[in-house]
Amino acid sequence: MATKASKIILPPLYSVRDIIKLYRLRAIRELSQNFLLDSRVTDKIVRAAGNIKDGEVCEVGPGPGSITRSILRKNPSKLIVIEKDRRFQAPLEMLAEAVPCQMDIIFGDVLTFNMERIFNECNLRQWSENAPSIHLIGNLPFNVATPLIIRWLRAVSEKKNAWRYGRVAMTLTFQKEVAERIAAPILSPQRCRLSVMCQNWCHVEHKFNIPGKAFVPKPDVDVGVVHLVPLHTPVIDLPFEIVEKVTRCIFHFRQKYLIRGVETLFPISSQEVLAQEMCKLADIEQTLRPFQLTVPEFGRLCHAYCEIISKHPTLIRYNSREKQKDEFHLDLQ
Ligand code: SAM
């Protein structure tokens, strides 16, 4: 019986460099387009995604298709690409016609695109099971990758979008410093809100860096490749909005005592009392700095915040960044 090769050889194709010349696909600097042309680098990114053979892959931001080719060489059962820039239609269609596997091209914005129905239903897995053989891979502009990971974390927390299919893994590029922040452990100088958010919902691995000179045109910074696999159960099993608000406020004063950030969760008239109550309920020393807290300790603070909110429900709407009236005045006697 014939077995499928683990790696397929693509039919003779123009090189991505030639494609770019042929179709005059100059990278648009304003759109932060930086292309990877070295197949050793794109193969390495795809290897970071794990075993994709016979699985389904969605590549976000394929551009002229260099990572796309590395994915296709790994023989997935299906590849879906989501690209915003219509200029890449012809080279992507040419690739789709040349390869043996199913390749669907979607033109749209990955920030708003819903992947809830694009994969095969037989690949759907329960969250208690192993991760499904569905992989998201992308080298997006930096100004898209960071808002995207926040949106995707929300979708992970709600088991919506691609995560309707189970614990779908992501392999994404970020500016190197952002990749370091995503994976930063407690006490690290890069520890921030993004570290806690990502590590709350996912197992995070900063796989490797790619020097800026590997891209055309060369960006001013180096790039980090991060692999994220959703956890069976988040460390802090609370709604996304609560975790996001509490971590954002606490990291607002990163170098100061954490009580300063906790105070910003509450209106001025009651912030001193409630911030102290919150730290006490959480059993967290208020003179610790935010980067000294583990994710479970953030969890205790989130639960303490919820307890206070249950007593004063209007406070959930309080946002220190917005100018607000004294509708939040509380009588704490
Ligand atoms: N993946 C290619 C590579 O590595 O050479 C291109 C990388 S380039 C940095 C980013 C690509 O993402 C571009 O093709 C760009 O048009 C696309 N892109 C940017 N924003 C997007 C969005 N919101 N949705 C989908 N694609 C987007």
Side-chain angles (χ1 to χ4, degrees), residues 33-36 61-63 66 83-85 88 108-110 139 141:
Q33 290 178 337
N34 308 95
F35 303 142
L36 278 168
S66 44
E83 171 58 60
K84 197 175 177 182
D85 188 341
F88 297 113
D109 185 340
V110 65
N139 170 34

Side-chain angles (χ1 to χ4, degrees), residues 122-142:
C122 72
N123 278 328
L124 196 145
R125 295 284 175 279
Q126 295 304 316
W127 272 59
S128 52
E129 295 181 79
N130 285 342
S133 197
I134 296 176
H135 310 264
L136 308 181
I137 301 178
N139 170 34
L140 284 160
F142 303 136

Side-chain angles (χ1 to χ4, degrees), residues 142 145-154 173-185 190-202 204 226 228 240 243-244 247-249 251-252 254 295 298:
F142 303 136
T146 309
L148 181 70
I149 190 65
I150 296 288
R151 277 166 203 240
W152 279 3
L153 286 176
R154 179 191 288 270
T173 59
F174 296 90
Q175 186 176 333
K176 181 174 146 257
E177 287 68 22
V178 176
E180 284 168 354
R181 277 186 231 145
I182 288 174
Q190 284 94 354
R191 182 83 160 174
C192 65
R193 176 182 73 112
L194 200 53
S195 337
V196 175
M197 298 286 288
C198 289
Q199 293 166 31
N200 184 50
W201 279 285
C202 296
V204 174
V226 181
L228 303 105
F240 180 89
V243 182
E244 194 280 331
T247 50
R248 173 167 40 80
C249 286
F251 272 109
H252 191 69
R254 194 182 174 283
V295 181
F298 269 101

Side-chain angles (χ1 to χ4, degrees), residues 20-38:
I20 290 170
K21 274 196 207 136
L22 197 68
Y23 290 98
R24 299 202 173 99
L25 297 171
R26 185 182 58 82
I28 301 178
R29 206 175 265 279
E30 300 76 62
L31 296 182
S32 309
Q33 290 178 337
N34 308 95
F35 303 142
L36 278 168
L37 303 181
D38 184 340

